[in-house]
Amino acid sequence: MRKLKFVLIAAVAMAATLPANAQSKWGDTPDDSVACISNVSLYQEFYKQKSYTDCYEPWKQILQHCPRFGKTIYQRGPIILKSMMNIAQTAEERNGYIDELMRMYDMRIQYFGEEAKVKAMKAQELSTLRKDAVKEVYEIYADAIRVGANELDENYVTLYFKATVDYVQAGYADPTLIIDNYDIASDLLEKILDDVADDSVKAAKIRGYISNVEAVFSPYASCNQLNEIYQKKFEADPNNVAMLKKMTDIMMKKGCTDDNQLFFSATENLHKLEPSPATAMRMGTMCLSKKQYGKAIEYLQDALKDLTEKKDRYKAYIFLGLSYAGQGSYSAARTAYLNAAEVDRTKGEPYMRLALAYASSSRSIDDGLGGRTAYWAAVDELRHAKQVEPTEEFAAMIDPLISSYSGYFPKKNDAFMLDLIDGHSYTVPGWIGKSTIIRTR
């Protein structure tokens, strides 16, 4: 009793001498400061002893009278309040402590900021404490994403998406919300992955979260389901740019682009309404898949005018080469492939594509050997491709082609009749025009 009396006297004396700028921590009035200081020692001592139920009352007084005392009182709050929930005698009493915990998170935001992070913490706590609070949990997570998506870590992003699915399954929204929020969650996780790409341990952890999101999304992700959901929206509002962007992005992520008329129509509308290098690129690849080579070339050339990302320019040149090759314009195809090789000097694919073009055009080569000399040039390009990209995976793709194309080399007798001798130099005629070495079988 004497000790408590001493603490109270000391508190009053201290409060009287507090400078004005101390009010932010010790309360806004002298009475608040007295109440705060009187309870700090009790709160800290009980917490140190892990006597959390005894800690509750002085902690509550600090929260009431000096809510700016420190972030620690909010960090410890969940432990203290959960200890009270554990001894609650009735459901009503337990719910009262849960409500108190939710208010505490709101106070933490009010006095210490970090709104997005704290809202996500609040949503996570509520989801574990009240299994039926599906609607409220989702709305808190959605608000956290709205105010600061980039401030949330991978755990909260994953929980946000799971809350989305629970919200839809409970009947509060249609499945379109799952698709829209998958787009948000997957983009955020990919950004986090990019940020930790140099740390293999962290990167593996993030990939695990990405896999979890994919697993949750999987039941809603079939191309048939996406088409069914988006077909109605497209027919109702085919010129809604925001909707067109979302649906085409999701369809691309899930690989629902090949032979998909809805995706083609949506991308075409988007390109007309808001043309960009990205939409021109998409239109080019789709026209290529439909063997509409002329249109593909127009779109891809248009895209290349403004594409700046290395990987995008590389892909555009490869697709442009394929489009030219598809219509038999092999010289233009070679130029496109070599441009791709210039953009990314680590890739062997451009030289492999060029080898395929040589082989495809062999019958048009007038060399007296049925165009078989084209395969010398093709094998040269394939071997060069292996040097540029010396990986086992790439070699596994190239080696069978080298073996196959070598089987098309001219026979020794046929070459001899044209004074072609193994090991001598030779320039392949026609559009190929490449200097090579004579090889026979």
Side-chain angles (χ1 to χ4, degrees), residues 310-359:
K310 177 180 175 180
K311 63 180 181 180
D312 294 332
R313 290 187 64 80
Y314 172 80
K315 288 180 181 177
Y317 276 124
I318 290 292
F319 292 142
L320 184 60
L322 290 170
S323 300
Y324 277 125
Q327 66 177 15
S329 302
Y330 292 112
S331 292
R334 174 165 53 194
T335 299
Y337 292 143
L338 293 179
N339 282 335
E342 188 68 24
V343 170
D344 192 340
R345 297 173 183 270
T346 68
K347 298 290 188 183
E349 182 188 8
Y351 303 103
M352 180 192 74
R353 296 289 182 187
L354 185 51
L356 294 172
Y358 289 163

Side-chain angles (χ1 to χ4, degrees), residues 156-174:
Y156 291 130
V157 173
T158 305
L159 291 173
Y160 155 72
F161 184 64
K162 183 181 181 302
T164 300
V165 174
D166 292 341
Y167 184 75
V168 171
Q169 289 180 339
Y172 294 113
D174 67 54

Side-chain angles (χ1 to χ4, degrees), residues 206-224:
I206 304 305
R207 289 191 188 95
Y209 280 101
I210 292 173
S211 295
N212 290 340
V213 167
E214 292 289 343
V216 175
F217 183 53
S218 182
Y220 305 90
S222 75
C223 294
N224 286 339

Side-chain angles (χ1 to χ4, degrees), residues 95-106:
N95 280 327
Y97 291 125
I98 295 173
D99 290 339
E100 196 171 343
L101 178 61
M102 296 299 105
R103 289 194 296 272
M104 184 213 73
Y105 280 117
D106 293 338

